[in-house]
mmCIF file of all heavy atoms in Angstrom:
data_model
loop_
_atom_site.group_PDB
_atom_site.id
_atom_site.type_symbol
_atom_site.label_atom_id
_atom_site.label_comp_id
_atom_site.label_asym_id
_atom_site.label_seq_id
_atom_site.Cartn_x
_atom_site.Cartn_y
_atom_site.Cartn_z
ATOM 1 N N LEU A 137 -16.120 -3.385 -17.267
ATOM 2 C CA LEU A 137 -15.385 -4.678 -17.536
ATOM 3 C C LEU A 137 -16.402 -5.745 -17.315
ATOM 4 O O LEU A 137 -16.528 -6.745 -18.173
ATOM 5 C CB LEU A 137 -14.216 -4.888 -16.738
ATOM 6 C CG LEU A 137 -13.082 -3.965 -17.193
ATOM 7 C CD1 LEU A 137 -11.779 -4.109 -16.112
ATOM 8 C CD2 LEU A 137 -12.475 -4.251 -18.517
ATOM 9 N N PHE A 138 -17.163 -5.812 -16.280
ATOM 10 C CA PHE A 138 -18.045 -6.830 -15.977
ATOM 11 C C PHE A 138 -19.194 -6.809 -16.963
ATOM 12 O O PHE A 138 -19.533 -8.028 -17.497
ATOM 13 C CB PHE A 138 -18.529 -6.757 -14.539
ATOM 14 C CG PHE A 138 -19.493 -8.016 -14.172
ATOM 15 C CD1 PHE A 138 -18.842 -9.151 -13.763
ATOM 16 C CD2 PHE A 138 -20.787 -7.784 -14.081
ATOM 17 C CE1 PHE A 138 -19.661 -10.212 -13.406
ATOM 18 C CE2 PHE A 138 -21.584 -8.879 -13.719
ATOM 19 C CZ PHE A 138 -21.060 -10.148 -13.417
ATOM 20 N N SER A 139 -19.668 -5.856 -17.264
ATOM 21 C CA SER A 139 -20.862 -5.695 -18.244
ATOM 22 C C SER A 139 -20.316 -6.263 -19.576
ATOM 23 O O SER A 139 -21.050 -6.911 -20.366
ATOM 24 C CB SER A 139 -21.370 -4.233 -18.340
ATOM 25 O OG SER A 139 -21.948 -3.914 -17.082
ATOM 26 N N ASN A 140 -19.263 -5.782 -20.026
ATOM 27 C CA ASN A 140 -18.572 -6.214 -21.263
ATOM 28 C C ASN A 140 -18.412 -7.761 -21.310
ATOM 29 O O ASN A 140 -18.712 -8.356 -22.358
ATOM 30 C CB ASN A 140 -17.215 -5.519 -21.313
ATOM 31 C CG ASN A 140 -17.025 -5.068 -22.719
ATOM 32 O OD1 ASN A 140 -17.839 -4.896 -23.528
ATOM 33 N ND2 ASN A 140 -15.758 -4.638 -22.966
ATOM 34 N N GLU A 141 -17.982 -8.330 -20.233
ATOM 35 C CA GLU A 141 -17.860 -9.888 -20.212
ATOM 36 C C GLU A 141 -19.270 -10.458 -20.383
ATOM 37 O O GLU A 141 -19.347 -11.445 -21.153
ATOM 38 C CB GLU A 141 -17.307 -10.223 -18.835
ATOM 39 C CG GLU A 141 -15.852 -9.948 -18.710
ATOM 40 C CD GLU A 141 -15.362 -10.268 -17.314
ATOM 41 O OE1 GLU A 141 -15.994 -11.068 -16.477
ATOM 42 O OE2 GLU A 141 -14.249 -9.864 -17.016
ATOM 43 N N MET A 142 -20.343 -9.925 -19.704
ATOM 44 C CA MET A 142 -21.658 -10.452 -19.798
ATOM 45 C C MET A 142 -22.214 -10.383 -21.279
ATOM 46 O O MET A 142 -22.837 -11.205 -21.825
ATOM 47 C CB MET A 142 -22.576 -9.777 -18.789
ATOM 48 C CG MET A 142 -22.269 -10.084 -17.452
ATOM 49 S SD MET A 142 -22.035 -11.753 -16.897
ATOM 50 C CE MET A 142 -20.215 -11.996 -16.898
ATOM 51 N N VAL A 143 -21.916 -9.108 -21.834
ATOM 52 C CA VAL A 143 -22.440 -8.929 -23.215
ATOM 53 C C VAL A 143 -21.675 -9.819 -24.162
ATOM 54 O O VAL A 143 -22.329 -10.445 -25.124
ATOM 55 C CB VAL A 143 -22.141 -7.395 -23.650
ATOM 56 C CG1 VAL A 143 -22.343 -7.265 -25.149
ATOM 57 C CG2 VAL A 143 -23.102 -6.485 -22.833
ATOM 58 N N MET A 144 -20.472 -10.010 -23.995
ATOM 59 C CA MET A 144 -19.738 -10.967 -25.015
ATOM 60 C C MET A 144 -20.270 -12.423 -24.781
ATOM 61 O O MET A 144 -20.410 -13.175 -25.797
ATOM 62 C CB MET A 144 -18.241 -10.916 -24.589
ATOM 63 C CG MET A 144 -17.508 -9.664 -25.044
ATOM 64 S SD MET A 144 -17.708 -9.269 -26.759
ATOM 65 C CE MET A 144 -16.716 -10.636 -27.518
ATOM 66 N N LYS A 145 -20.563 -12.701 -23.606
ATOM 67 C CA LYS A 145 -21.097 -14.051 -23.432
ATOM 68 C C LYS A 145 -22.524 -14.127 -23.990
ATOM 69 O O LYS A 145 -22.710 -15.227 -24.707
ATOM 70 C CB LYS A 145 -21.276 -14.294 -21.876
ATOM 71 C CG LYS A 145 -21.492 -15.748 -21.468
ATOM 72 C CD LYS A 145 -21.342 -16.025 -20.047
ATOM 73 C CE LYS A 145 -21.555 -17.404 -19.858
ATOM 74 N NZ LYS A 145 -21.293 -17.893 -18.457
ATOM 75 N N MET A 146 -23.378 -13.198 -23.952
ATOM 76 C CA MET A 146 -24.601 -13.215 -24.528
ATOM 77 C C MET A 146 -24.449 -13.152 -26.069
ATOM 78 O O MET A 146 -25.264 -13.826 -26.847
ATOM 79 C CB MET A 146 -25.474 -12.131 -24.064
ATOM 80 C CG MET A 146 -25.910 -12.285 -22.559
ATOM 81 S SD MET A 146 -27.142 -11.139 -21.961
ATOM 82 C CE MET A 146 -26.543 -9.482 -22.562
ATOM 83 N N LEU A 147 -23.526 -12.451 -26.638
ATOM 84 C CA LEU A 147 -23.269 -12.465 -28.038
ATOM 85 C C LEU A 147 -22.884 -13.830 -28.586
ATOM 86 O O LEU A 147 -23.205 -14.160 -29.780
ATOM 87 C CB LEU A 147 -22.201 -11.471 -28.472
ATOM 88 C CG LEU A 147 -22.620 -10.009 -28.425
ATOM 89 C CD1 LEU A 147 -21.525 -9.069 -28.653
ATOM 90 C CD2 LEU A 147 -23.790 -9.696 -29.446
ATOM 91 N N LYS A 148 -22.361 -14.691 -27.820
ATOM 92 C CA LYS A 148 -21.950 -16.038 -28.267
ATOM 93 C C LYS A 148 -23.150 -17.007 -27.839
ATOM 94 O O LYS A 148 -23.011 -18.263 -27.948
ATOM 95 C CB LYS A 148 -20.820 -16.387 -27.343
ATOM 96 C CG LYS A 148 -19.480 -15.718 -27.627
ATOM 97 C CD LYS A 148 -18.395 -16.254 -26.746
ATOM 98 C CE LYS A 148 -17.125 -15.348 -26.931
ATOM 99 N NZ LYS A 148 -16.073 -15.816 -26.010
ATOM 100 N N ASP A 149 -24.284 -16.369 -27.546
ATOM 101 C CA ASP A 149 -25.511 -17.122 -27.316
ATOM 102 C C ASP A 149 -25.307 -18.154 -26.130
ATOM 103 O O ASP A 149 -25.869 -19.136 -26.075
ATOM 104 C CB ASP A 149 -25.925 -18.035 -28.554
ATOM 105 C CG ASP A 149 -26.439 -17.183 -29.622
ATOM 106 O OD1 ASP A 149 -27.126 -16.014 -29.210
ATOM 107 O OD2 ASP A 149 -26.309 -17.431 -30.807
ATOM 108 N N GLU A 150 -24.499 -17.656 -25.144
ATOM 109 C CA GLU A 150 -24.285 -18.368 -23.901
ATOM 110 C C GLU A 150 -25.200 -17.775 -22.848
ATOM 111 O O GLU A 150 -25.461 -16.608 -22.864
ATOM 112 C CB GLU A 150 -22.867 -18.269 -23.423
ATOM 113 C CG GLU A 150 -21.958 -18.947 -24.358
ATOM 114 C CD GLU A 150 -20.507 -18.774 -23.927
ATOM 115 O OE1 GLU A 150 -20.154 -18.384 -22.757
ATOM 116 O OE2 GLU A 150 -19.630 -18.949 -24.788
ATOM 117 N N LYS A 151 -25.732 -18.644 -21.991
ATOM 118 C CA LYS A 151 -26.680 -18.184 -20.954
ATOM 119 C C LYS A 151 -25.801 -17.708 -19.791
ATOM 120 O O LYS A 151 -24.775 -18.288 -19.507
ATOM 121 C CB LYS A 151 -27.588 -19.345 -20.489
ATOM 122 C CG LYS A 151 -28.667 -19.739 -21.430
ATOM 123 C CD LYS A 151 -29.790 -18.788 -21.510
ATOM 124 C CE LYS A 151 -30.774 -19.286 -22.457
ATOM 125 N NZ LYS A 151 -31.811 -18.271 -22.633
ATOM 126 N N LEU A 152 -26.208 -16.760 -19.041
ATOM 127 C CA LEU A 152 -25.628 -16.364 -17.772
ATOM 128 C C LEU A 152 -25.994 -17.290 -16.695
ATOM 129 O O LEU A 152 -26.947 -17.802 -16.590
ATOM 130 C CB LEU A 152 -26.115 -14.843 -17.436
ATOM 131 C CG LEU A 152 -25.834 -13.703 -18.436
ATOM 132 C CD1 LEU A 152 -26.336 -12.453 -17.782
ATOM 133 C CD2 LEU A 152 -24.318 -13.631 -18.714
ATOM 134 N N THR A 153 -24.929 -17.616 -15.920
ATOM 135 C CA THR A 153 -25.077 -18.546 -14.888
ATOM 136 C C THR A 153 -25.747 -17.821 -13.670
ATOM 137 O O THR A 153 -25.715 -16.500 -13.666
ATOM 138 C CB THR A 153 -23.771 -19.103 -14.378
ATOM 139 O OG1 THR A 153 -22.976 -18.065 -13.815
ATOM 140 C CG2 THR A 153 -23.072 -19.862 -15.544
ATOM 141 N N ASP A 154 -26.354 -18.601 -12.819
ATOM 142 C CA ASP A 154 -26.976 -17.907 -11.580
ATOM 143 C C ASP A 154 -25.855 -17.157 -10.785
ATOM 144 O O ASP A 154 -26.128 -16.098 -10.239
ATOM 145 C CB ASP A 154 -27.533 -19.051 -10.670
ATOM 146 C CG ASP A 154 -28.775 -19.584 -11.268
ATOM 147 O OD1 ASP A 154 -29.357 -19.007 -12.107
ATOM 148 O OD2 ASP A 154 -29.239 -20.742 -10.818
ATOM 149 N N GLU A 155 -24.691 -17.665 -10.750
ATOM 150 C CA GLU A 155 -23.560 -17.023 -10.135
ATOM 151 C C GLU A 155 -23.274 -15.609 -10.752
ATOM 152 O O GLU A 155 -23.043 -14.578 -10.127
ATOM 153 C CB GLU A 155 -22.311 -17.837 -10.011
ATOM 154 C CG GLU A 155 -21.097 -17.218 -9.312
ATOM 155 C CD GLU A 155 -21.355 -17.021 -7.833
ATOM 156 O OE1 GLU A 155 -22.228 -17.863 -7.225
ATOM 157 O OE2 GLU A 155 -20.794 -16.091 -7.250
ATOM 158 N N GLU A 156 -23.166 -15.620 -12.075
ATOM 159 C CA GLU A 156 -22.914 -14.376 -12.810
ATOM 160 C C GLU A 156 -24.064 -13.335 -12.618
ATOM 161 O O GLU A 156 -23.867 -12.098 -12.406
ATOM 162 C CB GLU A 156 -22.768 -14.643 -14.354
ATOM 163 C CG GLU A 156 -21.519 -15.315 -14.575
ATOM 164 C CD GLU A 156 -21.439 -15.873 -16.104
ATOM 165 O OE1 GLU A 156 -22.515 -16.160 -16.648
ATOM 166 O OE2 GLU A 156 -20.293 -15.983 -16.531
ATOM 167 N N ILE A 157 -25.361 -13.815 -12.543
ATOM 168 C CA ILE A 157 -26.505 -12.899 -12.348
ATOM 169 C C ILE A 157 -26.376 -12.357 -10.952
ATOM 170 O O ILE A 157 -26.686 -11.248 -10.592
ATOM 171 C CB ILE A 157 -27.726 -13.647 -12.570
ATOM 172 C CG1 ILE A 157 -27.919 -13.996 -14.105
ATOM 173 C CG2 ILE A 157 -28.979 -12.906 -12.110
ATOM 174 C CD1 ILE A 157 -29.090 -14.996 -14.385
ATOM 175 N N LYS A 159 -23.562 -11.920 -9.193
ATOM 176 C CA LYS A 159 -22.496 -10.950 -9.210
ATOM 177 C C LYS A 159 -22.910 -9.620 -9.795
ATOM 178 O O LYS A 159 -22.555 -8.572 -9.358
ATOM 179 C CB LYS A 159 -21.271 -11.469 -9.959
ATOM 180 C CG LYS A 159 -20.411 -12.513 -9.273
ATOM 181 C CD LYS A 159 -19.219 -12.863 -10.100
ATOM 182 C CE LYS A 159 -18.339 -13.955 -9.447
ATOM 183 N NZ LYS A 159 -17.144 -14.192 -10.397
#
Side-chain angles (χ1 to χ4, degrees):
L137 288 174
F138 185 73
S139 297
N140 224 9
E141 289 174 14
M142 297 303 103
V143 168
M144 289 303 292
K145 192 168 184 173
M146 291 186 316
L147 286 173
K148 295 177 184 176
D149 288 328
E150 297 175 16
K151 293 280 186 189
L152 298 179
T153 66
D154 289 340
E155 184 65 29
E156 289 168 332
I157 292 170
K159 283 183 182 180

